[in-house]
Amino acid sequence: MQTKTEIIAVGSELLLGQIANTNAQFLSQQLAELGVNVYHHTVVGDNHKRLEETIRIAEERANIIIFTGGLGPTKDDLTKETLAKVLGTELVTDQDAMTYIEEYYKRSKRTMSENNKKQALVLKGAQVLKNEYGMAPGMVLKKNERIYMMFPGPPSELQPMFLNHGKPYIMDALGEQDKIISRVLRFFGIGESQLETDIEDLIEGQTNPTIAPYAGDGEVTLRLTAKHAEETTAIQLLNGLEEKVKERAGAYLYGYEDTSIMQELVKVLLDQKLTISAAESLTGGLFSEQMTACKGTSSVLLGGIVCYSTEIKEKLVKVRPETLENEGAVSDQCARELAENIRMITGSDIGIGFTGEAGPVAMEDKPVGTVYIGIAINGKETKTYLLNLAGNRDGIRKRTVKYGCYYLLQLLKSKS
């Protein structure tokens, strides 16, 4: 079956910019793994006439039409009613869904309003998809050589419903017998354009496995996906492609799947039984905050000082007055002393210092985005790093923390 898919997101709140259309992103990523071609994303408000027009347009250009949203109990939830009209079918009550809704209200000791019964209505002849995390069930109906799929709008309901019921349905409809295995590779310190350039021939020549690059938050990820009837063979295909990628950009690979660069740093610190402390100026405690969100941090992070003002740098972190006067708070020497002194003050194995101009206005004679990171490891020469970052204040601070993790990981890996 040659697939041409359209995803229709229903909800005026999407058009008003009140929420982001993350459902379309999620579905496109999942469908790409199945080799299903998504040709159009459409967003339409809670309006019966416009939704009907949208459905008829989609029918002209797609044979799989996926709806998100508009399955709830209120009057502006119009998806299944409108689709029923377009298809010339009727809505009937699904007794399992109705029982589930009634029992939910009994358990919560709440009175069920009459309009909640609407959520149990389904298209006649449709396969009903159970909603394990909400009340409105999803639906799949095959008619006129097309597949119509309906999912609730909340991502917490849509995602498990699609993974548990929608995805297997599509695989069965396509006659998909192959095992589909994906692996996410995470990179930092290299831009998306440079990474794509380094592996351009692999991307252009991809068949099986495939490569899908994504960029965000200063990082780049590659999703590698392989298909084969035998899972072990699919894994071997992934391993072979990963090795080719690592030959080109392995120096920037820091982890896999849903990890973060901070989580990877904590793992290495735990493995090497090292402690760390931080002196943070422009990051304002962000490094320590992110580290304490990771498991095992109590064995790693001894403490830190948010030394935002020049006075605190001097009084608490013992940065020399002559450094602040002659070099400035935003300087290589200041970052060096922050790292060395916080290590000595706390007795940690590693000290890390952050100083710089996050903006929006520079306080010294350095341009916004100028950042210095100092790393002092016991028994090793202190390292300092200069960054010139673009973007807004929040982005500069977040990327500064990630660069601190990245540089420290490089030092610790070379040490081992």
Side-chain angles (χ1 to χ4, degrees):
M1 176 182 180
Q2 179 63 36
T3 60
K4 295 180 181 179
T5 303
E6 180 156 350
I7 298 171
I8 300 175
V10 183
S12 297
E13 66 276 11
L14 294 165
L15 294 175
L16 293 170
Q18 295 172 343
I19 61 171
N21 189 11
T22 57
N23 286 336
Q25 179 187 31
F26 168 80
L27 289 170
S28 285
Q29 290 172 349
Q30 292 296 320
L31 292 167
E33 291 184 11
L34 298 178
V36 173
N37 302 308
V38 177
Y39 286 179
H40 297 91
H41 282 186
T42 302
V43 179
V44 61
D46 302 310
N47 180 279
H48 178 78
K49 182 179 179 181
R50 287 194 289 273
L51 178 55
E52 182 178 341
E53 292 172 350
T54 299
I55 294 171
R56 296 194 186 281
I57 291 171
E59 287 180 329
E60 293 295 319
R61 60 193 187 187
N63 52 17
I64 299 179
I65 304 174
I66 301 177
F67 299 83
T68 67
L71 303 183
T74 61
K75 290 183 179 180
D76 60 358
D77 290 309
L78 304 169
T79 301
K80 53 193 173 186
E81 291 86 348
T82 307
L83 183 57
K85 178 186 175 184
V86 171
L87 295 179
T89 189
E90 60 181 317
L91 293 172
V92 296
T93 298
D94 181 77
Q95 194 54 52
D96 288 341
M98 179 62 75
T99 301
Y100 180 83
I101 294 168
E102 290 172 342
E103 289 179 350
Y104 169 84
Y105 277 96
K106 287 179 183 178
R107 288 195 305 271
S108 59
K109 293 181 169 53
R110 294 163 55 197
T111 301
M112 186 180 82
S113 57
E114 189 67 21
N115 62 353
N116 275 287
K117 294 180 179 179
K118 176 184 174 185
Q119 295 185 96
L121 293 175
V122 300
L123 293 172
K124 187 175 182 179
Q127 177 177 326
V128 180
L129 309 180
K130 186 177 180 181
N131 189 340
E132 288 96 348
Y133 297 90
M135 283 185 281
M139 283 163 274
V140 179
L141 181 65
K142 191 169 185 180
K143 190 169 183 178
N144 303 329
E145 299 183 349
R146 295 186 191 88
I147 295 174
Y148 301 85
M149 308 184 79
M150 283 163 279
F151 296 95
S156 60
E157 299 177 29
L158 175 144
Q159 292 183 15
M161 185 184 291
F162 182 80
L163 293 174
N164 295 334
H165 306 295
K167 197 170 184 177
Y169 180 93
I170 292 175
M171 292 174 67
D172 184 63
L174 298 179
E176 183 64 74
Q177 300 298 321
D178 287 345
K179 301 290 189 301
I180 300 171
I181 308 293
S182 289
R183 183 179 302 165
V184 175
L185 280 58
R186 296 189 171 275
F187 299 82
F188 187 81
I190 185 172
E192 180 184 22
S193 58
Q194 184 59 55
L195 179 58
E196 287 197 27
T197 298
D198 291 346
I199 61 171
E200 184 176 7
D201 60 316
L202 300 179
I203 294 175
E204 290 182 351
Q206 64 179 313
T207 52
N208 182 30
T210 59
I211 306 176
Y214 307 96
D217 294 329
E219 300 187 16
V220 187
T221 64
L222 295 179
R223 179 181 290 274
L224 313 183
T225 303
K227 293 182 181 181
H228 200 275
E230 298 294 332
E231 184 174 339
T232 54
T233 303
I235 291 173
Q236 289 173 359
L237 290 170
L238 284 183
N239 292 342
L241 180 57
E242 181 185 336
E243 286 305 312
K244 292 178 182 179
V245 171
K246 286 164 70 174
E247 287 173 6
R248 323 283 181 87
Y252 305 98
L253 175 66
Y254 77 79
Y256 297 86
E257 306 308 332
D258 294 327
T259 189
S260 69
I261 196 164
M262 180 64 81
Q263 288 175 315
E264 294 304 308
L265 174 59
V266 170
K267 287 179 188 176
V268 172
L269 292 171
L270 286 168
D271 288 343
Q272 298 187 14
K273 295 180 171 58
L274 296 172
T275 57
I276 190 171
S277 53
E280 302 188 59
S281 183
L282 86 155
T283 51
L286 187 59
F287 177 88
S288 299
E289 178 192 354
Q290 291 186 5
M291 182 164 278
T292 55
C294 301
K295 294 179 181 179
T297 308
S298 58
S299 302
V300 169
L301 181 64
L302 295 191
I305 296 174
V306 176
C307 47
Y308 213 67
S309 71
T310 300
E311 290 76 18
I312 297 301
K313 288 181 179 70
E314 181 180 340
K315 291 179 181 179
L316 295 188
V317 197
K318 310 302 180 184
V319 176
R320 295 180 303 157
E322 54 267 34
T323 295
L324 297 170
E325 183 177 348
N326 299 330
E327 305 290 335
V330 182
S331 65
D332 177 280
Q333 184 59 29
C334 183
R336 181 183 300 274
E337 292 183 33
L338 288 174
E340 292 174 345
N341 295 352
I342 195 65
R343 191 187 75 77
M344 297 300 294
I345 290 167
T346 62
S348 60
D349 299 306
I350 302 166
I352 188 166
F354 300 94
T355 186
E357 294 283 9
V361 179
M363 301 302 290
E364 295 187 0
D365 60 348
K366 306 284 173 56
V368 171
T370 302
V371 172
Y372 290 92
I373 300 173
I375 300 177
I377 301 176
N378 187 25
K380 300 289 183 180
E381 179 185 354
T382 300
K383 300 289 186 180
T384 58
Y385 304 88
L386 169 62
L387 299 171
N388 294 288
L389 303 177
N392 60 26
R393 180 181 179 83
D394 188 53
I396 289 172
R397 294 174 65 246
K398 287 180 178 178
R399 276 179 286 146
T400 295
V401 169
K402 288 187 175 182
Y403 269 106
C405 295
Y406 172 72
Y407 290 135
L408 182 50
L409 273 172
Q410 297 298 102
L411 292 173
L412 295 176
K413 288 177 180 178
S414 63
K415 175 184 174 183
S416 60

